[in-house]
Amino acid sequence: MMDLEREKMIVKSLFNKKYQQRILFELASTNKRLKVTCRLNYPYEVIRNQYLIQIPPPNSYYLDILDLLKEYGANDSCYAISNKSKIDGKHLTLTEGLEHAVGHGLPSLISCIPDRLAYLECEQEYGPPDRFIIYREK
């Protein structure tokens, strides 16, 4: 079941202000939810740029990304906003969330700390998809 409070915290903390209301509206609608994951393909537009850290290739192994997120303070749980219905709107272990998000070619945001830390994988168009850590210091 979608956790709209968690999603609100993620959006208000990490997304650009001009997109926040629209994204929250879309996340709350099962018919429009897919639009949010499509917006994630343009991270420099929708995410606050000062929080984006691009992960340089090679970066396609989910356990390496898990280790990187742990260095930023991630714990063992996460929440997913994803084009992949199996994980979208669900609380998961971080390992499970990354295993289903990394390398599957679909946009996903894996929130580790709702107002501070997430992993973003963009859609694969050609070559490897862009991958980011989204990190907001305390």
Side-chain angles (χ1 to χ4, degrees):
M1 189 69 187
M2 295 179 300
D3 184 342
L4 295 178
E5 282 304 307
R6 175 89 180 239
E7 292 177 356
K8 183 177 181 179
M9 192 182 304
I10 294 165
V11 171
K12 292 284 189 183
S13 301
L14 305 176
F15 284 66
N16 284 324
K17 195 166 187 71
K18 76 176 194 176
Y19 291 98
Q20 289 178 4
Q21 287 309 113
R22 183 77 204 162
I23 287 172
L24 288 171
F25 171 75
E26 290 169 351
L27 284 171
S29 166
T30 51
N31 293 338
K32 297 185 185 313
R33 200 168 166 84
L34 186 60
K35 289 184 177 190
V36 174
T37 56
C38 291
R39 289 179 194 277
L40 293 175
N41 290 317
Y42 307 96
Y44 292 108
E45 195 173 310
V46 295
I47 305 292
R48 295 181 186 182
N49 289 350
Q50 69 266 33
Y51 304 149
L52 284 171
I53 304 164
Q54 189 156 14
I55 306 171
N59 59 13
S60 60
Y61 186 48
Y62 75 96
L63 291 177
D64 289 341
I65 293 170
L66 174 69
D67 291 342
L68 184 58
L69 287 165
K70 294 277 187 182
E71 288 175 26
Y72 281 92
N75 56 31
D76 293 327
S77 63
C78 71
Y79 181 80
I81 297 172
S82 178
N83 209 330
K84 193 167 186 186
S85 60
K86 183 171 185 161
I87 62 171
D88 182 49
K90 294 186 176 127
H91 291 273
L92 308 155
T93 67
L94 184 54
T95 304
E96 184 182 14
L98 291 172
E99 186 176 9
H100 288 285
V102 177
H104 291 274
L106 299 172
S108 296
L109 186 141
I110 306 296
S111 171
C112 308
I113 303 171
D115 61 342
R116 288 195 18 239
L117 179 64
Y119 166 74
L120 173 62
E121 175 146 327
C122 299
E123 185 174 12
Q124 184 170 7
E125 293 173 356
Y126 52 89
D130 288 332
R131 296 183 170 107
F132 298 88
I133 297 290
I134 303 171
Y135 180 65
R136 177 178 171 235
E137 291 187 48
K138 283 185 182 178

